[in-house]
Amino acid sequence: MAVALRYSPPSHLSFSSPKLHKFSFNPSHSLSSLSPSHFSRSVNTTQTLRFPSKARSITPVAEGISTELSEIYQSCKIWNWRGFNISYLVKGNGPPLLLVHGFGASIPHWRRNIGILSQKATVYAIDLLGFGASDKPPGFAYTMETWAQLILDFLAEVVKKPTVLVGNSVGSLACVIAASESNGDLVRGLVLLNCAGGMNNKAIVDDWRIKLIMPLLWLVDFLLKQKRIASAIFERVKQRENLKNILISVYGNKEAVDEDLIEIIRRPADDDGALDAFISTVTGPPGPSPISLMPKISVPVLVLWGDQDPFTPLDGPVGKYFSSLPSKIPNLELFILPGTGHCPHDDRPDLVHEKLIPWLERTP
């Protein structure tokens, strides 16, 4: 999901999970300088995900939560990346593909896709650093480039085969960055679901709607950097009823907003580091623009766009740019999904699978 800044409190939450360990971390370190030596413990490269006794159980914790959602949580494993624990899931057999969530989401947001896609592919799904059950180091400065490098390292160290990247929103942009930096043997295809224009709305400077409220965005940045104010906003947004109303505004198919979805978004929001990740993502640098990156992409690309997206609308600069690409890039296909919001894969999964599965079958 995307980062949205309006006159109301921000509409997306940053996820976090129960802390798996304690470590010493200096936030002044740059990404390139991070290595396991910066941390006061060592862990196995991969292991089954376990939660400490003080954390929530991985079984359903709210009325109406499905067994399927619980099974997703229980199936997750851990990969150690530069001293951080990163949660991931793998299921199925066949050519690999990697699912990358958007801001405010995590692995279970692909709940309606993992089963059907794993019938013909090896499906990997990952929680980016700062989200879901992955680590959320206090004070960390999150960037699009960090997430892109995490994706490339995951492909090299875990998947070890050319992979199709499937991303939503900010996850799409992270996939675009990764594909643009890949040397060609890691990424074999790219699927973008309502790709974000940046890590936050400050990237969309040529949209009159953003220009109109730009002074407000800078004010929000300032306020969110005041920890007490940010905490008050965060606490209000993550209340179940408020969260439900936000999600209904994001989805075209309102019936898709069920108790499972609310739990997926709400569940990790109480964990240490969740607030820091939220603040960093909303107030940090927007990162590279997909408009500058797409000309560098040589692998086949499938673009799926919900026509009721309030965050990256078709008539906005990013939507218009992607709509123009089929006539400019021969290996790119674009489909507009009617009645669909910002998260097509969960909003109307049947429409996504109708286009995605045949594309995967004909993509070498």
Side-chain angles (χ1 to χ4, degrees):
M1 302 172 90
V3 180
L5 293 178
R6 297 181 173 182
Y7 290 92
S8 57
S11 61
H12 292 293
L13 295 182
S14 163
F15 280 179
S16 62
S17 70
K19 298 305 294 178
L20 300 175
H21 51 264
K22 295 182 178 179
F23 56 85
S24 59
F25 172 70
N26 185 346
S28 65
H29 290 307
S30 65
L31 173 65
S32 61
S33 69
L34 293 178
S35 69
S37 64
H38 289 106
F39 303 87
S40 59
R41 45 97 183 123
S42 59
V43 296
N44 293 332
T45 300
T46 59
Q47 62 190 55
T48 302
L49 178 60
R50 292 183 172 87
F51 295 89
S53 58
K54 68 177 181 179
R56 294 188 181 94
S57 168
I58 57 177
T59 57
V61 295
E63 184 178 355
I65 297 301
S66 69
T67 302
E68 289 76 12
L69 183 59
S70 180
E71 289 175 351
I72 290 176
Y73 285 126
Q74 294 178 25
S75 298
C76 290
K77 301 180 179 181
I78 285 293
W79 165 61
N80 183 256
W81 178 70
R82 305 191 182 197
F84 297 112
N85 277 349
I86 302 299
S87 176
Y88 76 96
L89 175 148
V90 58
K91 182 176 181 179
N93 293 288
L97 58 89
L98 174 62
L99 308 177
V100 184
H101 61 80
F103 178 71
S106 58
I107 291 169
H109 202 211
W110 301 98
R111 58 195 172 135
R112 294 177 168 139
N113 317 108
I114 293 171
I116 188 169
L117 294 177
S118 64
Q119 294 176 13
K120 295 186 177 182
T122 301
V123 176
Y124 292 86
I126 195 170
D127 282 341
L128 296 175
L129 185 71
F131 298 98
S134 291
D135 279 352
K136 285 150 286 312
F140 190 87
Y142 294 91
T143 67
M144 293 303 312
E145 293 87 346
T146 300
W147 293 325
Q149 189 60 55
L150 186 156
I151 290 170
L152 289 174
D153 290 347
F154 184 82
L155 297 181
E157 297 180 19
V158 179
V159 182
K160 299 180 180 179
K161 293 180 180 179
T163 302
V164 171
L165 301 180
V166 183
N168 172 228
S169 186
V170 171
S172 280
L173 180 55
C175 290
V176 173
I177 299 171
S180 71
E181 296 179 353
S182 172
N183 57 16
D185 60 349
L186 294 177
V187 180
R188 66 181 180 91
L190 196 57
V191 180
L192 308 177
L193 307 174
N194 288 65
C195 185
M199 191 169 73
N200 47 56
N201 281 340
K202 293 193 294 291
I204 317 299
V205 296
D206 54 349
D207 188 333
W208 67 269
R209 289 161 289 202
I210 300 299
K211 289 181 179 179
L212 188 65
I213 63 169
M214 186 59 74
L216 177 65
L217 297 182
W218 290 115
L219 175 61
V220 169
D221 270 13
F222 172 77
L223 293 176
L224 288 179
K225 290 175 182 178
Q226 315 307 309
K227 201 65 173 284
R228 290 185 179 180
I229 296 175
S231 179
I233 293 173
F234 193 62
E235 289 297 321
R236 184 172 181 83
V237 171
K238 70 184 184 182
Q239 293 175 9
R240 181 173 292 272
E241 193 60 32
N242 291 339
L243 191 56
K244 180 178 181 179
N245 291 334
I246 291 168
L247 291 167
I248 287 174
S249 73
V250 173
Y251 276 57
N253 175 19
K254 311 306 180 185
E255 294 182 358
V257 180
D258 57 11
E259 288 300 314
D260 272 7
L261 179 60
I262 296 171
E263 181 71 2
I264 289 167
I265 305 296
R266 187 199 63 81
R267 175 188 178 100
D270 291 332
D271 299 328
D272 294 341
L275 177 59
D276 285 356
F278 170 73
I279 295 171
S280 178
T281 305
V282 174
T283 63
S289 166
I291 295 175
S292 66
L293 296 174
M294 286 304 297
K296 302 177 183 180
I297 304 299
S298 59
V299 297
V301 181
L302 174 65
V303 179
L304 302 178
W305 213 278
D307 68 350
Q308 294 183 10
D309 184 351
F311 301 141
T312 49
L314 281 170
D315 65 347
V318 178
K320 287 181 178 178
Y321 173 74
F322 276 99
S323 296
S324 72
L325 288 184
S327 62
K328 301 175 182 178
I329 301 179
N331 63 343
L332 183 144
E333 298 180 48
L334 167 71
F335 296 96
I336 306 302
L337 306 181
T340 307
H342 188 62
C343 309
H345 60 290
D346 192 57
D347 192 331
R348 298 191 185 274
D350 290 348
L351 296 183
V352 170
H353 298 153
E354 180 182 297
K355 304 301 182 183
L356 174 57
I357 292 175
W359 183 86
L360 289 172
E361 291 175 344
R362 62 178 180 267
T363 299

